[in-house]
Amino acid sequence: MNKIDMPREKLHKRGASALTDMELLQAVIGSGGKGNDFKLIAKNLHNKIISIGAENLSIEDIKEVKGIGDAKATVVFAALEFWRRKFTKQSAPLIDSPESAANQLDFIRHKKQEHFVLLTLDGARRLISTRTISIGTLTSSLVHPREVFSPAIEDRAASIIIAHNHPSGILDISEQDREVSRCIKQAGELMGIRLDDHIVVAAEGFASAM
């Protein structure tokens, strides 16, 4: 193959629009290795993306392609994740402030019993899911870290927000509320899942119990 026809050189000389989808993947991969031609690697990676879907592809899926090690997988996955975050239409809400979290909690604001709710978030702080973990009087023993982090692990969450309502309608953050925050925060540090906030909602508004 003439140097001018190599994907990276072709991109510089003719622009990205001159490259096929396969050549774009070849440009990202860069080179192959012993017994692993970069064109074959790109073809196998392309097939993997098509079969799984770009939105569902994990770094482990990329590393399963023969000829792609940790370094190449990191480059490919980082480029893919940046594209997914910045240039695809996002339907999941961005939870980047206490206000945006509180907006997801209107359904428990006027409940007559305390509802403990979990919001799981991805690395871009977009909402993955909202789950009601328990209903009843909130205590640190009732809200066990196991019940919080089991769904967080299932969602492959990067961070979480916990929340509960005050049926009294009064935003009086108690020491019990803060103890729940400390308990979940400590457990999250051990598991590598960050607790972003603990939101308390009531008829008169919301507050953080962190």
mmCIF file of all heavy atoms in Angstrom, residues 43-83:
data_model
loop_
_atom_site.group_PDB
_atom_site.id
_atom_site.type_symbol
_atom_site.label_atom_id
_atom_site.label_comp_id
_atom_site.label_asym_id
_atom_site.label_seq_id
_atom_site.Cartn_x
_atom_site.Cartn_y
_atom_site.Cartn_z
ATOM 1 N N LYS A 43 -11.576 -4.557 10.719
ATOM 2 C CA LYS A 43 -12.756 -5.293 10.246
ATOM 3 C C LYS A 43 -13.440 -6.009 11.403
ATOM 4 O O LYS A 43 -14.668 -5.954 11.545
ATOM 5 C CB LYS A 43 -12.350 -6.304 9.167
ATOM 6 C CG LYS A 43 -13.522 -7.130 8.631
ATOM 7 C CD LYS A 43 -13.053 -8.128 7.569
ATOM 8 C CE LYS A 43 -14.223 -8.986 7.087
ATOM 9 N NZ LYS A 43 -13.775 -9.981 6.075
ATOM 10 N N ASN A 44 -12.650 -6.675 12.242
ATOM 11 C CA ASN A 44 -13.223 -7.401 13.380
ATOM 12 C C ASN A 44 -13.835 -6.450 14.398
ATOM 13 O O ASN A 44 -14.871 -6.750 15.003
ATOM 14 C CB ASN A 44 -12.150 -8.266 14.039
ATOM 15 C CG ASN A 44 -11.712 -9.427 13.151
ATOM 16 O OD1 ASN A 44 -12.462 -9.861 12.277
ATOM 17 N ND2 ASN A 44 -10.507 -9.924 13.361
ATOM 18 N N LEU A 45 -13.184 -5.303 14.601
ATOM 19 C CA LEU A 45 -13.737 -4.298 15.507
ATOM 20 C C LEU A 45 -15.044 -3.740 14.960
ATOM 21 O O LEU A 45 -16.018 -3.560 15.700
ATOM 22 C CB LEU A 45 -12.732 -3.162 15.724
ATOM 23 C CG LEU A 45 -13.208 -1.983 16.587
ATOM 24 C CD1 LEU A 45 -13.612 -2.453 17.978
ATOM 25 C CD2 LEU A 45 -12.119 -0.918 16.671
ATOM 26 N N HIS A 46 -15.090 -3.490 13.675
ATOM 27 C CA HIS A 46 -16.305 -2.990 13.021
ATOM 28 C C HIS A 46 -17.453 -3.975 13.219
ATOM 29 O O HIS A 46 -18.581 -3.584 13.569
ATOM 30 C CB HIS A 46 -16.039 -2.755 11.538
ATOM 31 C CG HIS A 46 -17.212 -2.243 10.774
ATOM 32 N ND1 HIS A 46 -18.092 -3.075 10.108
ATOM 33 C CD2 HIS A 46 -17.683 -0.976 10.591
ATOM 34 C CE1 HIS A 46 -19.037 -2.352 9.540
ATOM 35 N NE2 HIS A 46 -18.811 -1.072 9.804
ATOM 36 N N ASN A 47 -17.160 -5.249 13.034
ATOM 37 C CA ASN A 47 -18.194 -6.279 13.198
ATOM 38 C C ASN A 47 -18.689 -6.333 14.645
ATOM 39 O O ASN A 47 -19.878 -6.533 14.902
ATOM 40 C CB ASN A 47 -17.660 -7.643 12.776
ATOM 41 C CG ASN A 47 -17.417 -7.743 11.280
ATOM 42 O OD1 ASN A 47 -17.974 -6.969 10.505
ATOM 43 N ND2 ASN A 47 -16.582 -8.676 10.875
ATOM 44 N N LYS A 48 -17.764 -6.141 15.580
ATOM 45 C CA LYS A 48 -18.126 -6.137 16.996
ATOM 46 C C LYS A 48 -19.055 -4.964 17.316
ATOM 47 O O LYS A 48 -20.053 -5.117 18.026
ATOM 48 C CB LYS A 48 -16.865 -6.061 17.848
ATOM 49 C CG LYS A 48 -17.093 -5.950 19.344
ATOM 50 C CD LYS A 48 -17.460 -7.269 19.989
ATOM 51 C CE LYS A 48 -16.273 -8.198 20.077
ATOM 52 N NZ LYS A 48 -16.581 -9.415 20.884
ATOM 53 N N ILE A 49 -18.723 -3.788 16.785
ATOM 54 C CA ILE A 49 -19.542 -2.597 17.024
ATOM 55 C C ILE A 49 -20.943 -2.783 16.445
ATOM 56 O O ILE A 49 -21.948 -2.443 17.075
ATOM 57 C CB ILE A 49 -18.876 -1.347 16.421
ATOM 58 C CG1 ILE A 49 -17.566 -1.037 17.170
ATOM 59 C CG2 ILE A 49 -19.809 -0.131 16.489
ATOM 60 C CD1 ILE A 49 -16.739 0.052 16.511
ATOM 61 N N ILE A 50 -21.012 -3.347 15.247
ATOM 62 C CA ILE A 50 -22.309 -3.560 14.596
ATOM 63 C C ILE A 50 -23.150 -4.571 15.374
ATOM 64 O O ILE A 50 -24.362 -4.383 15.569
ATOM 65 C CB ILE A 50 -22.111 -4.045 13.140
ATOM 66 C CG1 ILE A 50 -21.452 -2.950 12.290
ATOM 67 C CG2 ILE A 50 -23.452 -4.451 12.528
ATOM 68 C CD1 ILE A 50 -22.239 -1.658 12.207
ATOM 69 N N SER A 51 -22.528 -5.631 15.868
ATOM 70 C CA SER A 51 -23.287 -6.699 16.531
ATOM 71 C C SER A 51 -23.783 -6.280 17.910
ATOM 72 O O SER A 51 -24.889 -6.641 18.314
ATOM 73 C CB SER A 51 -22.425 -7.963 16.654
ATOM 74 O OG SER A 51 -21.297 -7.732 17.495
ATOM 75 N N ILE A 52 -22.977 -5.499 18.631
ATOM 76 C CA ILE A 52 -23.351 -5.095 19.986
ATOM 77 C C ILE A 52 -24.066 -3.756 20.005
ATOM 78 O O ILE A 52 -24.984 -3.528 20.792
ATOM 79 C CB ILE A 52 -22.099 -5.048 20.896
ATOM 80 C CG1 ILE A 52 -21.514 -6.450 21.032
ATOM 81 C CG2 ILE A 52 -22.419 -4.460 22.265
ATOM 82 C CD1 ILE A 52 -20.235 -6.514 21.842
ATOM 83 N N GLY A 53 -23.661 -2.852 19.119
ATOM 84 C CA GLY A 53 -24.217 -1.502 19.096
ATOM 85 C C GLY A 53 -23.270 -0.530 19.776
ATOM 86 O O GLY A 53 -22.775 -0.817 20.878
ATOM 87 N N ALA A 54 -22.994 0.591 19.140
ATOM 88 C CA ALA A 54 -22.040 1.560 19.685
ATOM 89 C C ALA A 54 -22.456 2.064 21.057
ATOM 90 O O ALA A 54 -21.615 2.361 21.905
ATOM 91 C CB ALA A 54 -21.879 2.734 18.713
ATOM 92 N N GLU A 55 -23.761 2.147 21.303
ATOM 93 C CA GLU A 55 -24.243 2.676 22.576
ATOM 94 C C GLU A 55 -24.035 1.698 23.733
ATOM 95 O O GLU A 55 -24.034 2.091 24.904
ATOM 96 C CB GLU A 55 -25.723 3.060 22.482
ATOM 97 C CG GLU A 55 -26.696 1.905 22.326
ATOM 98 C CD GLU A 55 -26.796 1.353 20.912
ATOM 99 O OE1 GLU A 55 -26.027 1.805 20.033
ATOM 100 O OE2 GLU A 55 -27.622 0.451 20.676
ATOM 101 N N ASN A 56 -23.837 0.410 23.406
ATOM 102 C CA ASN A 56 -23.691 -0.614 24.449
ATOM 103 C C ASN A 56 -22.269 -1.157 24.570
ATOM 104 O O ASN A 56 -21.982 -1.947 25.470
ATOM 105 C CB ASN A 56 -24.636 -1.792 24.161
ATOM 106 C CG ASN A 56 -26.092 -1.376 24.165
ATOM 107 O OD1 ASN A 56 -26.524 -0.623 25.035
ATOM 108 N ND2 ASN A 56 -26.856 -1.854 23.195
ATOM 109 N N LEU A 57 -21.387 -0.754 23.685
ATOM 110 C CA LEU A 57 -20.037 -1.310 23.627
ATOM 111 C C LEU A 57 -19.234 -0.943 24.871
ATOM 112 O O LEU A 57 -19.192 0.223 25.269
ATOM 113 C CB LEU A 57 -19.322 -0.799 22.380
ATOM 114 C CG LEU A 57 -18.089 -1.583 21.931
ATOM 115 C CD1 LEU A 57 -18.513 -2.932 21.352
ATOM 116 C CD2 LEU A 57 -17.296 -0.799 20.895
ATOM 117 N N SER A 58 -18.600 -1.925 25.490
ATOM 118 C CA SER A 58 -17.753 -1.692 26.659
ATOM 119 C C SER A 58 -16.294 -1.862 26.261
ATOM 120 O O SER A 58 -15.970 -2.424 25.203
ATOM 121 C CB SER A 58 -18.091 -2.668 27.788
ATOM 122 O OG SER A 58 -17.659 -3.978 27.455
ATOM 123 N N ILE A 59 -15.393 -1.411 27.133
ATOM 124 C CA ILE A 59 -13.967 -1.569 26.846
ATOM 125 C C ILE A 59 -13.577 -3.045 26.820
ATOM 126 O O ILE A 59 -12.679 -3.446 26.065
ATOM 127 C CB ILE A 59 -13.113 -0.767 27.849
ATOM 128 C CG1 ILE A 59 -11.667 -0.673 27.347
ATOM 129 C CG2 ILE A 59 -13.185 -1.382 29.245
ATOM 130 C CD1 ILE A 59 -10.832 0.335 28.105
ATOM 131 N N GLU A 60 -14.270 -3.871 27.601
ATOM 132 C CA GLU A 60 -13.986 -5.306 27.593
ATOM 133 C C GLU A 60 -14.357 -5.922 26.253
ATOM 134 O O GLU A 60 -13.675 -6.836 25.772
ATOM 135 C CB GLU A 60 -14.732 -6.006 28.732
ATOM 136 C CG GLU A 60 -14.300 -5.563 30.122
ATOM 137 C CD GLU A 60 -12.813 -5.748 30.365
ATOM 138 O OE1 GLU A 60 -12.268 -6.762 29.880
ATOM 139 O OE2 GLU A 60 -12.199 -4.888 31.022
ATOM 140 N N ASP A 61 -15.447 -5.436 25.640
ATOM 141 C CA ASP A 61 -15.828 -5.919 24.312
ATOM 142 C C ASP A 61 -14.737 -5.601 23.298
ATOM 143 O O ASP A 61 -14.407 -6.422 22.434
ATOM 144 C CB ASP A 61 -17.143 -5.262 23.860
ATOM 145 C CG ASP A 61 -18.327 -5.646 24.720
ATOM 146 O OD1 ASP A 61 -18.377 -6.803 25.169
ATOM 147 O OD2 ASP A 61 -19.198 -4.779 24.950
ATOM 148 N N ILE A 62 -14.172 -4.398 23.387
ATOM 149 C CA ILE A 62 -13.118 -3.981 22.448
ATOM 150 C C ILE A 62 -11.872 -4.839 22.624
ATOM 151 O O ILE A 62 -11.236 -5.268 21.655
ATOM 152 C CB ILE A 62 -12.784 -2.491 22.649
ATOM 153 C CG1 ILE A 62 -14.000 -1.623 22.294
ATOM 154 C CG2 ILE A 62 -11.583 -2.075 21.797
ATOM 155 C CD1 ILE A 62 -13.848 -0.164 22.639
ATOM 156 N N LYS A 63 -11.520 -5.144 23.874
ATOM 157 C CA LYS A 63 -10.322 -5.932 24.157
ATOM 158 C C LYS A 63 -10.452 -7.385 23.706
ATOM 159 O O LYS A 63 -9.447 -8.099 23.592
ATOM 160 C CB LYS A 63 -10.000 -5.862 25.655
ATOM 161 C CG LYS A 63 -9.445 -4.508 26.073
ATOM 162 C CD LYS A 63 -9.508 -4.289 27.572
ATOM 163 C CE LYS A 63 -8.636 -5.233 28.342
ATOM 164 N NZ LYS A 63 -8.630 -4.904 29.792
ATOM 165 N N GLU A 64 -11.687 -7.818 23.440
ATOM 166 C CA GLU A 64 -11.897 -9.179 22.942
ATOM 167 C C GLU A 64 -11.469 -9.331 21.483
ATOM 168 O O GLU A 64 -11.271 -10.455 21.006
ATOM 169 C CB GLU A 64 -13.367 -9.579 23.077
ATOM 170 C CG GLU A 64 -13.808 -9.839 24.517
ATOM 171 C CD GLU A 64 -15.289 -10.134 24.620
ATOM 172 O OE1 GLU A 64 -15.983 -10.102 23.568
ATOM 173 O OE2 GLU A 64 -15.771 -10.397 25.741
ATOM 174 N N VAL A 65 -11.307 -8.202 20.778
ATOM 175 C CA VAL A 65 -10.881 -8.245 19.381
ATOM 176 C C VAL A 65 -9.396 -8.581 19.327
ATOM 177 O O VAL A 65 -8.568 -7.898 19.946
ATOM 178 C CB VAL A 65 -11.148 -6.895 18.677
ATOM 179 C CG1 VAL A 65 -10.612 -6.923 17.245
ATOM 180 C CG2 VAL A 65 -12.643 -6.584 18.690
ATOM 181 N N LYS A 66 -9.037 -9.618 18.616
ATOM 182 C CA LYS A 66 -7.643 -10.049 18.519
ATOM 183 C C LYS A 66 -6.779 -8.939 17.939
ATOM 184 O O LYS A 66 -7.118 -8.355 16.903
ATOM 185 C CB LYS A 66 -7.540 -11.301 17.647
ATOM 186 C CG LYS A 66 -6.131 -11.897 17.611
ATOM 187 C CD LYS A 66 -6.081 -13.162 16.767
ATOM 188 C CE LYS A 66 -4.661 -13.728 16.735
ATOM 189 N NZ LYS A 66 -4.569 -14.952 15.885
ATOM 190 N N GLY A 67 -5.688 -8.644 18.626
ATOM 191 C CA GLY A 67 -4.782 -7.601 18.153
ATOM 192 C C GLY A 67 -4.967 -6.278 18.865
ATOM 193 O O GLY A 67 -4.189 -5.343 18.656
ATOM 194 N N ILE A 68 -6.000 -6.179 19.694
ATOM 195 C CA ILE A 68 -6.232 -4.948 20.456
ATOM 196 C C ILE A 68 -5.938 -5.221 21.923
ATOM 197 O O ILE A 68 -6.628 -5.997 22.579
ATOM 198 C CB ILE A 68 -7.675 -4.436 20.291
ATOM 199 C CG1 ILE A 68 -7.940 -4.031 18.839
ATOM 200 C CG2 ILE A 68 -7.934 -3.244 21.218
ATOM 201 C CD1 ILE A 68 -9.307 -3.439 18.588
ATOM 202 N N GLY A 69 -4.889 -4.567 22.434
ATOM 203 C CA GLY A 69 -4.530 -4.691 23.836
ATOM 204 C C GLY A 69 -5.098 -3.544 24.645
ATOM 205 O O GLY A 69 -5.942 -2.768 24.166
ATOM 206 N N ASP A 70 -4.601 -3.406 25.861
ATOM 207 C CA ASP A 70 -5.113 -2.379 26.768
ATOM 208 C C ASP A 70 -4.945 -0.974 26.197
ATOM 209 O O ASP A 70 -5.858 -0.147 26.287
ATOM 210 C CB ASP A 70 -4.390 -2.460 28.122
ATOM 211 C CG ASP A 70 -4.806 -3.682 28.925
ATOM 212 O OD1 ASP A 70 -5.816 -4.318 28.550
ATOM 213 O OD2 ASP A 70 -4.119 -4.011 29.905
ATOM 214 N N ALA A 71 -3.768 -0.690 25.623
ATOM 215 C CA ALA A 71 -3.479 0.666 25.138
ATOM 216 C C ALA A 71 -4.403 1.061 23.989
ATOM 217 O O ALA A 71 -5.017 2.132 24.004
ATOM 218 C CB ALA A 71 -2.021 0.774 24.710
ATOM 219 N N LYS A 72 -4.516 0.195 22.982
ATOM 220 C CA LYS A 72 -5.387 0.501 21.841
ATOM 221 C C LYS A 72 -6.857 0.542 22.266
ATOM 222 O O LYS A 72 -7.618 1.388 21.795
ATOM 223 C CB LYS A 72 -5.212 -0.534 20.729
ATOM 224 C CG LYS A 72 -3.955 -0.347 19.885
ATOM 225 C CD LYS A 72 -4.035 -1.231 18.664
ATOM 226 C CE LYS A 72 -2.703 -1.396 17.970
ATOM 227 N NZ LYS A 72 -2.002 -0.160 17.694
ATOM 228 N N ALA A 73 -7.247 -0.381 23.145
ATOM 229 C CA ALA A 73 -8.635 -0.411 23.613
ATOM 230 C C ALA A 73 -8.984 0.887 24.331
ATOM 231 O O ALA A 73 -10.086 1.417 24.180
ATOM 232 C CB ALA A 73 -8.857 -1.603 24.544
ATOM 233 N N THR A 74 -8.031 1.421 25.095
ATOM 234 C CA THR A 74 -8.261 2.677 25.811
ATOM 235 C C THR A 74 -8.495 3.821 24.839
ATOM 236 O O THR A 74 -9.413 4.632 25.016
ATOM 237 C CB THR A 74 -7.056 3.010 26.719
ATOM 238 O OG1 THR A 74 -6.898 1.964 27.680
ATOM 239 C CG2 THR A 74 -7.267 4.332 27.441
ATOM 240 N N VAL A 75 -7.678 3.896 23.789
ATOM 241 C CA VAL A 75 -7.824 4.965 22.793
ATOM 242 C C VAL A 75 -9.166 4.855 22.070
ATOM 243 O O VAL A 75 -9.899 5.839 21.925
ATOM 244 C CB VAL A 75 -6.669 4.912 21.766
ATOM 245 C CG1 VAL A 75 -6.930 5.881 20.613
ATOM 246 C CG2 VAL A 75 -5.340 5.247 22.444
ATOM 247 N N VAL A 76 -9.506 3.645 21.623
ATOM 248 C CA VAL A 76 -10.757 3.438 20.894
ATOM 249 C C VAL A 76 -11.956 3.755 21.775
ATOM 250 O O VAL A 76 -12.875 4.472 21.373
ATOM 251 C CB VAL A 76 -10.848 1.983 20.367
ATOM 252 C CG1 VAL A 76 -12.228 1.714 19.780
ATOM 253 C CG2 VAL A 76 -9.774 1.725 19.324
ATOM 254 N N PHE A 77 -11.940 3.231 23.001
ATOM 255 C CA PHE A 77 -13.096 3.408 23.884
ATOM 256 C C PHE A 77 -13.235 4.858 24.330
ATOM 257 O O PHE A 77 -14.353 5.382 24.416
ATOM 258 C CB PHE A 77 -12.990 2.498 25.101
ATOM 259 C CG PHE A 77 -14.235 2.494 25.949
ATOM 260 C CD1 PHE A 77 -15.375 1.848 25.512
ATOM 261 C CD2 PHE A 77 -14.266 3.144 27.172
ATOM 262 C CE1 PHE A 77 -16.534 1.843 26.277
ATOM 263 C CE2 PHE A 77 -15.417 3.151 27.940
ATOM 264 C CZ PHE A 77 -16.551 2.498 27.493
ATOM 265 N N ALA A 78 -12.118 5.526 24.618
ATOM 266 C CA ALA A 78 -12.176 6.930 25.027
ATOM 267 C C ALA A 78 -12.746 7.796 23.904
ATOM 268 O O ALA A 78 -13.572 8.686 24.143
ATOM 269 C CB ALA A 78 -10.788 7.425 25.425
ATOM 270 N N ALA A 79 -12.329 7.533 22.658
ATOM 271 C CA ALA A 79 -12.859 8.281 21.516
ATOM 272 C C ALA A 79 -14.350 8.028 21.339
ATOM 273 O O ALA A 79 -15.137 8.953 21.096
ATOM 274 C CB ALA A 79 -12.101 7.899 20.241
ATOM 275 N N LEU A 80 -14.748 6.766 21.495
ATOM 276 C CA LEU A 80 -16.160 6.408 21.364
ATOM 277 C C LEU A 80 -16.997 7.052 22.459
ATOM 278 O O LEU A 80 -18.077 7.594 22.192
ATOM 279 C CB LEU A 80 -16.307 4.889 21.408
ATOM 280 C CG LEU A 80 -17.735 4.327 21.372
ATOM 281 C CD1 LEU A 80 -18.418 4.699 20.067
ATOM 282 C CD2 LEU A 80 -17.722 2.816 21.561
ATOM 283 N N GLU A 81 -16.498 7.021 23.698
ATOM 284 C CA GLU A 81 -17.246 7.588 24.817
ATOM 285 C C GLU A 81 -17.380 9.104 24.673
ATOM 286 O O GLU A 81 -18.437 9.672 24.978
ATOM 287 C CB GLU A 81 -16.570 7.230 26.134
ATOM 288 C CG GLU A 81 -17.287 7.745 27.376
ATOM 289 C CD GLU A 81 -18.674 7.151 27.568
ATOM 290 O OE1 GLU A 81 -19.011 6.134 26.904
ATOM 291 O OE2 GLU A 81 -19.454 7.709 28.369
ATOM 292 N N PHE A 82 -16.316 9.761 24.208
ATOM 293 C CA PHE A 82 -16.390 11.219 23.997
ATOM 294 C C PHE A 82 -17.456 11.539 22.956
ATOM 295 O O PHE A 82 -18.263 12.456 23.138
ATOM 296 C CB PHE A 82 -15.033 11.747 23.536
ATOM 297 C CG PHE A 82 -15.004 13.241 23.349
ATOM 298 C CD1 PHE A 82 -14.796 14.085 24.433
ATOM 299 C CD2 PHE A 82 -15.194 13.810 22.099
ATOM 300 C CE1 PHE A 82 -14.778 15.465 24.271
ATOM 301 C CE2 PHE A 82 -15.183 15.186 21.927
ATOM 302 C CZ PHE A 82 -14.970 16.011 23.018
ATOM 303 N N TRP A 83 -17.485 10.771 21.881
ATOM 304 C CA TRP A 83 -18.488 10.973 20.837
ATOM 305 C C TRP A 83 -19.887 10.737 21.374
ATOM 306 O O TRP A 83 -20.809 11.506 21.113
ATOM 307 C CB TRP A 83 -18.206 10.022 19.670
ATOM 308 C CG TRP A 83 -19.302 9.988 18.656
ATOM 309 C CD1 TRP A 83 -19.609 10.914 17.710
ATOM 310 C CD2 TRP A 83 -20.290 8.945 18.517
ATOM 311 N NE1 TRP A 83 -20.706 10.515 16.988
ATOM 312 C CE2 TRP A 83 -21.143 9.325 17.454
ATOM 313 C CE3 TRP A 83 -20.512 7.738 19.178
ATOM 314 C CZ2 TRP A 83 -22.209 8.523 17.057
ATOM 315 C CZ3 TRP A 83 -21.576 6.954 18.773
ATOM 316 C CH2 TRP A 83 -22.411 7.349 17.712
#
